[in-house]
Amino acid sequence: MNEYIKLLKEQDKLNISIDLNKKFNWKHFKIAGPCSVEGESIIEISKEIAKCGADALRAGAYKPCTYPILKETNGWKEGLRKEGLELLKEAKKQSGLPIVTEVMDASMIEEVSEVADIFQIGTRNFQNYTLLDALGKSNTPVLLKRGTWGTLDEILGACERILVGGNENIAICLRGVVGAPSYRHVFPSIRWAPDLMMIPALKELCDIPIIYDPSHSTGYRNFVPAISKAAIAAGADGLIVESHPNPKESISDADQAITIETLKEIIGSI
Ligand code: PEP
Ligand code: MN
């Protein structure tokens, strides 16, 4: 075992971290919603998501895209940005669901915290240390998505940064990693490989809750139900699932979005 991690484990410091009384309750936490806020539709969607038994609504107002120009459409430019946050505020009011939405930069924390109950940190920012340090000073729970390249010790190190800053309300989101090209000839939307073994590996070392993302890790909607169940069986505490009333019409990540009906089945089956 890595010497530093071993030392932390021996000194019981991997959970320096977690004050169980103060900690946000991530157990059995099911987060669902479209990849991004696409317009006023998010308000109706949020109510549908609530009816399925989800615990929180996810949707990005700020959406870092691999190809930034390609998807510009009707004011949606890597998200609806400020307008997206306003719509999320209304969705929260009408559905009663807490909001999970992305913060891309430390300078955005204040603005996004007016709406977000949980900050989502995207894979691209997994090692943005300025951002992680700033999140440590925040009181808002953080869902830290694993970088597509992130090793086990890098995951722990990224968490440590937030925890030592004083924010104990964090969960790790596993969302697939590099290494999926073997599928791409047949299923072109598959970009990442599911990282299920990281669940028991992390559980061996720390008590930081794990939320599994079966959407980005598969990239293909037909695989989402199976990988959701597999993640729970492997010990994940909860799920974050991209779901949309018309999955094929999704502005971003259309191939992996599932219908609201499928979401309901998944939530009922775990
Ligand atoms: C997302 O959750 O929509 C997203 C962009 O995720 P990731 O940062 O893991 O790619
Ligand atoms: Mn997405």
Side-chain angles (χ1 to χ4, degrees):
M1 193 182 288
N2 169 311
E3 284 306 309
Y4 180 63
I5 303 293
K6 201 165 142 205
L7 200 68
L8 288 180
K9 191 169 164 58
E10 278 165 10
Q11 295 177 3
D12 206 22
K13 278 193 181 157
L14 280 168
N15 299 316
I16 36 182
S17 58
I18 305 274
D19 174 339
L20 291 169
N21 296 320
K22 273 204 275 172
K23 183 170 89 157
F24 186 84
N25 188 5
W26 297 94
K27 197 88 204 148
H28 308 303
F29 203 68
K30 298 163 294 293
I31 306 166
C35 182
S36 72
V37 181
E38 300 178 346
E40 286 186 4
S41 58
I42 193 67
I43 296 165
E44 283 314 305
I45 295 174
S46 67
K47 292 189 250 177
E48 292 297 311
I49 298 281
K51 275 193 237 152
C52 290
D55 302 296
L57 175 73
R58 61 140 296 147
Y62 291 94
K63 281 300 326 162
C65 295
T66 303
Y67 300 110
I69 312 171
L70 196 67
K71 290 184 188 289
E72 282 189 34
T73 152
N74 294 333
W76 192 102
K77 186 169 183 284
E78 293 202 274
L80 288 177
R81 294 156 285 130
K82 279 194 193 313
E83 187 192 340
L85 290 179
E86 286 308 311
L87 289 165
L88 281 174
K89 232 182 241 177
E90 190 55 31
K92 175 166 154 172
K93 203 157 101 190
Q94 294 202 26
S95 67
L97 288 177
I99 301 293
V100 182
T101 198
E102 179 152 355
V103 179
M104 288 169 55
D105 185 87
S107 64
M108 291 164 61
I109 288 183
E110 206 179 312
E111 179 195 2
V112 179
S113 69
E114 283 174 28
V115 184
D117 297 281
I118 297 170
F119 290 140
Q120 176 174 322
I121 306 308
T123 194
R124 294 159 183 82
N125 277 313
F126 163 71
Q127 287 179 314
N128 176 340
Y129 291 159
T130 320
L131 175 58
L132 301 187
D133 288 342
L135 292 167
K137 301 274 172 286
S138 158
N139 293 322
T140 302
V142 174
L143 183 67
L144 175 67
K145 298 195 87 172
R146 177 189 189 180
T148 54
W149 63 92
T151 57
L152 174 50
D153 49 336
E154 286 169 345
I155 297 173
L156 294 171
C159 290
E160 184 181 297
R161 251 173 205 279
I162 306 174
L163 295 168
V164 296
N167 188 345
E168 299 181 341
N169 297 318
I170 70 169
I172 298 163
C173 178
L174 299 175
R175 49 80 70 216
V177 287
V178 286
S182 46
Y183 299 93
R184 299 200 76 177
H185 310 286
V186 182
F187 302 107
S189 68
I190 297 181
R191 291 198 288 167
W192 316 107
D195 44 354
L196 293 165
M197 194 160 78
M198 193 54 85
I199 303 169
L202 282 165
K203 289 287 176 196
E204 185 137 322
L205 294 167
C206 67
D207 285 339
I208 301 171
I210 300 173
I211 302 294
Y212 200 81
D213 173 348
S215 308
H216 295 83
S217 61
T218 63
Y220 180 52
R221 75 179 107 266
N222 291 4
F223 295 171
V224 168
I227 296 299
S228 299
K229 285 182 216 152
I232 296 296
D237 296 281
L239 296 175
I240 178 166
V241 190
E242 286 191 346
S243 8
H244 193 285
N246 302 300
K248 290 183 186 157
E249 307 297 317
S250 303
I251 295 180
S252 48
D253 287 342
D255 296 315
Q256 67 200 32
I258 57 166
T259 61
I260 307 293
E261 290 71 41
T262 307
L263 173 69
K264 200 169 174 189
E265 281 167 27
I266 292 175
I267 291 180
S269 73
I270 56 171

